[in-house]
Amino acid sequence: MTEEEMSSRDGEVSSGMIMLDLPSGGGLHRKLKARHLEMIAIGGTIGTGLLIKSGDAIRGAGPLGALITFSLAGLQVYGVVTSLGEMATLIPVEGGFSAFPNRFVSKAFGFVSGWNYWLNWALAFPAGMAGVATLFEFWVPTSTIPSWAVSLIFMFPLFALHLISVRGFAETEFVLSLIKVLTIIIFIIISFFLWLGIGTGTGPLWFTNWNPAVVGDTAMTKFVNVGAAFTTGFYAYGGTELVGLTAGEAENPRLSVPRAIKGTFWRIVIFYVGSIFFVGVLLNPLATWSASPFVYVLESAGISFAAEFINFVAIVAALSASNSSIYACARTLLRLSEDRQAPRIFGKIDKRGVPVNSVIAIMIVGLVGIGASYASGPDGSINVFNFLTGFVSFSTMLAWMIVSITHLRFRAGYIAQGRKLEDLPYIAPFFPWFNYMSIIVGIVVTFFMLISAFDTNGMSQDEFFNLSWWMNNSWIYAGIPITACLYLGYVIFVPGSMRLVSYDEMDFESNTLIETREEKAAADAIALKPTNFAEWKAKMIYKLF
């Protein structure tokens, strides 16, 4: 198709612009640049789950147990992100977590997937705000400024940015992610030198702190402890898939989305698995350390302000998570509204391309969370944070499994219609094995987590099922029942919604990408293999950053 033909079909086409076959009423603005998506992809893997809660995983499961947990979760994340990337680059729409299951699985599947993902981020937002309030106590006690007031102080500027335009979210996330990335790079470099004994005078540590490597007296106890650590792992990785959600507002999704996704594997290995590895070899899991493990590592390097610095970065990470929550919630609710699976009022988009009512909805959820924090007393922020992170962990895992199932049907339908794989803008590697692995890991980990949650380890029931248990296992009595009710309720009230979309009925045309020749040439140039050292160097930088 020529550019002139494209003009006659979709309106004026200017060089460097992407035109989409959008449904009537679409009003989101494509203002996310490649650098925004790349930094969101990098920084999205770094949050309070890594900086703060990773210590719980190492203490509970041991350094090797935590490493296994984060490695398995990381593999699942990589499979999910690449699967989502294949669908999102061909059909770059907002709210892919409901749009794609609706198109390629069933209406009921799309409904429960969309609302599960919305709940995931809707609860992650007050969790992030509670995290900010808890971390802020390091400098200002609650007797001076109550935790709910701290949450409000940080919350309203974030919403103001989102109500301006999508660029408000993008630029803020770019800066916050950059701070997190630089911090982890510095941490890994310092940790490497400490591990080798450089500057310490003690010689290499090697694996002396892997004592024990997995915490537990018996094989069953070790199994249970590793299973419990998965809750932290899934919470920590939550948000990695966000880059797939941004395709609907990317300037050039065919170019920028694959570019952001292709380095995901190495980012996971370096930033997450690398960080957990070094914390595990530098700190003994049986030692007494209550703060962030990153603080103790940096203090052992002689950095006197380590606690203040990591606390600052942790607040940045919590704000970043909250910023992403607003974006993900608003776009998911917008898509649900457009698919008539949420009230139509949430489909309103103003002239700046902002889904205003959807943004206001998450603001209300945030206020409710802050109210719960206030009502819970002096430890309200901590209790709210623990309650919500348990729920979010389950929702995240469920969302990833749904993406894997959807991608299996997407690819099967694409081939069944006689389409060619080489015509896809981005092809997910290792298909279908990563999809199967993601589904199996999700099922096995759920089994692990259930056993861990109900293994009393010789304690009395009154002692075991205390407030801490109820806060940390909210996914059991809240997450699973809510998800089941959403699915069954939709099936009952919308007859026929369980019917699978047949391969012949699958829609691979609506909202698909139409490129100019210049854009396709630019994307093809990036895909070429490097032929000299300079090109290899540029390629490595491109893959990582």
Side-chain angles (χ1 to χ4, degrees):
M1 181 179 293
T2 66
E3 289 184 21
E4 289 76 12
E5 288 172 330
M6 288 163 60
S7 273
S8 64
R9 174 180 168 183
D10 293 299
E12 183 178 352
V13 177
S14 58
S15 177
M17 291 296 293
I18 289 290
M19 298 300 295
L20 296 172
D21 179 21
L22 287 171
S24 59
L28 294 179
H29 295 175
R30 292 189 168 272
K31 292 185 176 181
L32 297 183
K33 298 182 181 295
R35 66 178 178 87
H36 294 139
L37 269 65
E38 290 165 44
M39 193 54 69
I40 288 169
I42 299 170
T45 60
I46 303 169
T48 53
L50 176 63
L51 295 170
I52 304 298
K53 287 186 74 65
S54 60
D56 296 340
I58 294 170
R59 278 192 301 268
L64 180 58
L67 191 62
I68 292 171
T69 297
F70 275 79
S71 297
L72 283 176
L75 277 175
Q76 185 179 14
V77 167
Y78 179 66
V80 168
V81 170
T82 53
S83 298
L84 185 60
E86 180 174 298
M87 295 184 287
T89 48
L90 179 68
I91 308 171
V93 295
E94 81 286 351
F97 280 85
S98 63
F100 297 141
N102 266 320
R103 280 199 192 195
F104 305 118
V105 186
S106 70
K107 291 294 182 183
F109 208 66
F111 176 83
V112 74
S113 175
W115 278 106
N116 170 72
Y117 197 67
W118 184 86
L119 274 172
N120 177 25
W121 283 105
L123 297 180
F125 177 72
M129 289 291 95
V132 170
T134 301
L135 292 164
F136 202 73
E137 292 175 20
F138 181 85
W139 292 300
V140 182
T142 54
S143 58
T144 304
I145 303 179
S147 59
W148 62 266
V150 173
S151 296
L152 285 177
I153 290 169
F154 282 98
M155 185 181 83
F156 285 112
L158 285 179
F159 278 108
L161 288 169
H162 281 264
L163 290 172
I164 294 172
S165 75
V166 70
R167 287 290 291 273
F169 155 73
E171 296 297 348
T172 303
E173 192 61 25
F174 182 86
V175 174
L176 296 177
S177 294
L178 183 61
I179 294 171
K180 294 187 293 181
V181 168
L182 292 176
T183 299
I184 296 300
I185 291 174
I186 293 170
F187 171 81
I188 289 176
I189 292 172
I190 292 174
S191 298
F192 179 72
F193 288 133
L194 290 175
W195 186 45
L196 295 180
I198 297 174
T200 63
T202 59
L205 290 173
W206 301 131
F207 296 95
T208 55
N209 282 319
W210 281 28
N211 184 28
V214 179
V215 173
D217 298 327
T218 64
M220 182 61 185
T221 306
K222 292 177 180 179
F223 175 85
V224 168
N225 289 339
V226 172
F230 274 104
T231 303
T232 300
F234 283 116
Y235 176 74
Y237 277 113
T240 314
E241 76 290 337
L242 187 64
V243 66
L245 201 68
T246 60
E249 292 171 275
E251 280 188 346
N252 188 341
R254 184 182 188 272
L255 184 62
S256 56
V257 174
R259 180 173 177 176
I261 286 173
K262 284 180 179 178
T264 299
F265 177 79
W266 293 111
R267 292 176 195 127
I268 290 171
V269 169
I270 294 172
F271 294 125
Y272 257 94
V273 179
S275 296
I276 294 298
F277 171 79
F278 281 118
V279 170
V281 295
L282 294 175
L283 298 178
N284 190 293
L286 300 183
T288 303
W289 41 289
S290 57
S292 164
F294 290 76
V295 171
Y296 287 92
V297 170
L298 294 180
E299 284 182 341
S300 65
I303 300 176
S304 59
F305 57 89
E308 289 81 359
F309 177 69
I310 291 298
N311 198 70
F312 165 75
V313 176
I315 288 177
V316 167
L319 289 173
S320 173
S322 300
N323 188 43
S324 298
S325 298
I326 300 171
Y327 177 85
C329 275
R331 272 59 186 178
T332 301
L333 190 56
L334 172 65
R335 170 52 57 181
L336 285 167
S337 176
E338 290 175 345
D339 290 337
R340 300 189 177 184
Q341 293 178 330
R344 297 304 297 266
I345 190 174
F346 296 117
K348 179 184 177 181
I349 302 174
D350 68 12
K351 62 182 180 181
R352 297 183 301 275
V354 176
V356 179
N357 293 334
S358 294
V359 172
I360 293 174
I362 180 59
M363 182 170 68
I364 293 172
V365 173
L367 290 172
V368 170
I370 292 172
S373 173
Y374 174 72
S376 299
D379 294 326
S381 292
I382 297 174
N383 291 333
V384 168
F385 181 75
N386 288 335
F387 174 87
L388 295 176
T389 53
F391 194 113
V392 169
S393 298
F394 169 77
S395 295
T396 298
M397 180 179 64
L398 180 62
W400 292 348
M401 293 173 65
I402 288 173
V403 168
S404 298
I405 294 170
T406 302
H407 184 234
L408 285 170
R409 288 191 51 79
F410 167 91
R411 181 73 76 88
Y414 192 83
I415 298 299
Q417 291 187 12
R419 300 172 186 271
K420 298 179 180 179
L421 282 183
E422 54 265 30
D423 292 335
L424 288 170
Y426 171 74
I427 300 175
F430 305 110
F431 177 88
W433 307 113
F434 264 133
N435 300 81
Y436 294 143
M437 180 203 68
S438 173
I439 296 167
I440 292 171
V441 167
I443 294 172
V444 171
V445 167
T446 301
F447 177 69
F448 266 46
M449 291 166 62
L450 279 170
I451 292 178
S452 174
F454 290 102
D455 180 70
T456 61
N457 195 25
M459 297 171 63
S460 66
Q461 288 195 1
D462 291 339
E463 185 181 5
F464 182 76
F465 293 104
N466 54 19
L467 178 62
S468 177
W469 187 93
W470 289 98
M471 292 297 101
N472 291 321
N473 293 285
S474 57
W475 64 278
I476 295 174
Y477 60 86
I480 293 177
I482 288 175
T483 303
C485 288
L486 282 172
Y487 184 80
L488 294 175
Y490 193 77
V491 166
I492 292 171
F493 289 101
V494 183
S497 58
M498 285 183 64
R499 185 182 70 85
L500 289 176
V501 179
S502 68
Y503 294 150
D504 292 337
E505 292 177 311
M506 289 183 181
D507 180 9
F508 292 98
E509 299 297 332
S510 300
N511 310 104
T512 51
L513 185 65
I514 303 173
E515 298 175 293
T516 63
R517 285 191 295 269
E518 291 85 353
E519 290 159 348
K520 189 175 187 306
D524 291 341
I526 286 179
L528 293 176
K529 291 185 178 180
T531 58
N532 53 54
F533 177 76
E535 291 180 0
W536 275 108
K537 180 181 177 182
K539 190 79 170 180
M540 288 303 297
I541 294 173
Y542 151 74
K543 279 185 173 293
L544 289 173
F545 302 109

